[in-house]
Amino acid sequence: QVQLQESGPGLVKPSETLSLTCSVSGGSLNNYYWSWIRQPPGKGLEWIGYVYSSGSIGHSPSLKSRVAISLDTSKNQFTLNLSSVTTSDTALYFCARRGGFCTSSGCSGNWFFDLWGRGTLVTVSS
Amino acid sequence: EIVLTQSPGTLSLSPGEKATLSCRASQSVSSNFLAWYQQKLGQAPTLLIYDTSTRATGIPDRFSGSGSGTDFTLTISRLEPEDFAVYYCQQYESSVTFGGGTTVEI
């Protein structure tokens, strides 16, 4: 059974870079798209971006200039770096898997999220 | 960006009753690329419905999705105690955006 687990500092200072890691257990990163999604306290969900197992990436237009997502297939992990954070970046950060998998013929499923981590709370404060 | 507006904000019902949740899009989701999630307090969201009306693996058939264009609905035919939670819609027609959520409370 594939499971996702987020990890990283719970407190980040304003203007610094938020760095989180998602560890994938019970399965491989290969042939799937992996995303980061966040939820400010008491609010709704916001998609941040994705990385594919080949290394290709995409981001939400609203966060694009501050987001870097990468993967380490040897560790079965992918990471999020969000630069120049402000208090507005305080949120519960989830990693998630896009529904469906990809082969040389294309990808099944679509951009819904069928597997999520439990989330990690990151607070931006001095 | 496609903005999703969910209504009502809160739905107060009793176990056994029917719940009808609405999700309205600011532009047409013409390919019916709309999903629904359930989130319980302190937990990650769980995928319920994708492609407007397809139930995800393991989701009971009391959950159903319908709609087209800009208006979509999640129906819970008979509420079980474990169904009291927050529900979000999400579109993947153009990038990815989520609605603001509907709380189903006892």
Side-chain angles (χ1 to χ4, degrees), chain A residues 37 39 43-47 60-61 92 94 110-114 116-118, chain B residues 33 35 37 39 42-45 47 50-51 88 90 92 95-96 98-100:
Chain A
I37 296 165
Q39 185 173 36
K43 296 188 178 180
L45 299 158
E46 179 183 23
W47 178 71
S60 165
L92 187 59
F94 296 100
N110 213 313
W111 282 99
F112 49 86
F113 303 98
D114 65 349
W116 297 63
R118 296 176 65 88
Chain B
F33 288 158
Y37 300 85
Q39 186 178 32
Q43 298 184 20
L47 178 67
Y50 62 92
D51 293 349
Y88 293 96
Q90 175 229 326
Y92 41 102
S95 188
V96 170
F98 293 86

Side-chain angles (χ1 to χ4, degrees), chain B residues 20-88:
Chain B
T20 303
L21 286 67
S22 173
C23 176
R24 178 162 289 179
S26 61
Q27 306 169 38
S28 178
V29 183
S30 56
S31 302
N32 286 345
F33 288 158
L34 190 111
W36 290 92
Y37 300 85
Q38 176 193 72
Q39 186 178 32
K40 297 180 181 178
L41 193 63
Q43 298 184 20
T46 298
L47 178 67
L48 298 173
I49 302 282
Y50 62 92
D51 293 349
T52 296
S53 59
T54 303
R55 273 188 300 278
T57 302
I59 301 303
D61 60 6
R62 64 180 182 273
F63 292 92
S64 63
S66 62
S68 64
T70 60
D71 291 307
F72 298 87
T73 300
L74 174 70
T75 302
I76 310 171
S77 59
R78 286 203 329 268
L79 284 163
E80 297 287 342
E82 63 267 27
D83 298 338
F84 292 90
V86 181
Y87 293 83
Y88 293 96

Side-chain angles (χ1 to χ4, degrees), chain A residues 53-64:
Chain A
S53 53
S54 67
S56 64
I57 55 176
H59 310 113
S60 165
S62 62
L63 294 169
K64 183 177 181 179

